[in-house]
């Protein structure tokens, strides 16, 4: 369905930035997906949610933020590190985030930790 049009991952190609894990679902429907969104442009985690939420509403989905953290994306070495937390949303389940990232960045080394930095 249209949910296939919703990309699993949209993150900056390089650098360290905030990210959120978002659950997308049809109102009242069973179909749901967790997606990862992150960008340096966001000073706070809720800035990311405020961008993704209207996009998904337009497609007829409701969103729930499952938490956040930070992503360190090193495209040269093909490494992604997931860590940290969101003050507002709490810590995302980074292990879930890593599994989603692996679907897209198949040839990367992707790790996570509960480190703050």
């Amino acid at each position: 369905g249209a949910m296939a049009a919703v990309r699993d991952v949209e993150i900056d190609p390089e650098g360290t930035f905030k990210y959120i894990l978002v659950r997308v679902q049809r109102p009242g429907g069973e179909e749901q997906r967790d997606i990862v969104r992150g960008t340096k442009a966001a000073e706070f985690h809720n800035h990311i949610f405020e961008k993704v939420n209207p996009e998904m509403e337009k497609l007829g989905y409701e969103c729930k933020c499952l938490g956040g953290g930070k992503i360190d994306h090193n495209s040269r070495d093909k490494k992604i590190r997931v860590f940290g937390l969101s003050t507002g949303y709490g810590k995302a389940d980074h292990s879930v985030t890593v599994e989603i990232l692996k679907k897209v960045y198949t040839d990367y080394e992707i790790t996570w930790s509960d480190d703050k930095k």
Side-chain angles (χ1 to χ4, degrees):
M3 200 172 267
V6 178
R7 287 196 297 201
D8 288 314
V9 178
E10 285 180 19
I11 60 171
D12 286 2
E14 188 66 44
T16 304
F17 44 84
K18 292 182 168 68
Y19 94 88
I20 56 173
L21 186 60
V22 179
R23 176 154 293 162
V24 180
Q25 61 187 65
R26 280 255 185 258
E30 289 297 296
E31 195 190 10
Q32 61 176 43
R33 263 176 73 199
D34 294 347
I35 61 173
V36 175
R37 295 291 183 269
T39 176
K40 277 199 281 273
E43 191 183 347
F44 299 105
H45 286 92
N46 62 305
H47 292 169
I48 309 172
F49 189 73
E50 284 161 13
K51 187 176 171 290
V52 73
N53 196 38
E55 288 174 6
M56 294 304 149
E57 281 181 345
K58 267 196 246 147
L59 296 170
Y61 299 112
E62 37 185 44
C63 287
K64 185 171 82 177
C65 184
L66 302 178
K70 285 186 167 173
I71 285 176
D72 181 24
H73 188 174
N74 181 332
S75 55
R76 194 187 62 231
D77 295 343
K78 295 197 172 179
K79 283 183 181 173
I80 294 177
R81 186 169 69 98
V82 185
F83 64 102
L85 53 82
S86 161
T87 315
Y89 295 121
K91 187 176 80 68
D93 185 338
H94 296 327
S95 64
V96 171
T97 302
V98 165
E99 289 311 308
I100 298 168
L101 289 168
K102 280 179 178 171
K103 289 196 238 175
V104 178
Y105 296 95
T106 50
D107 57 344
Y108 267 60
E109 182 189 323
I110 306 175
T111 57
W112 68 272
S113 76
D114 288 328
D115 298 346
K116 299 286 194 291
K117 286 186 165 36

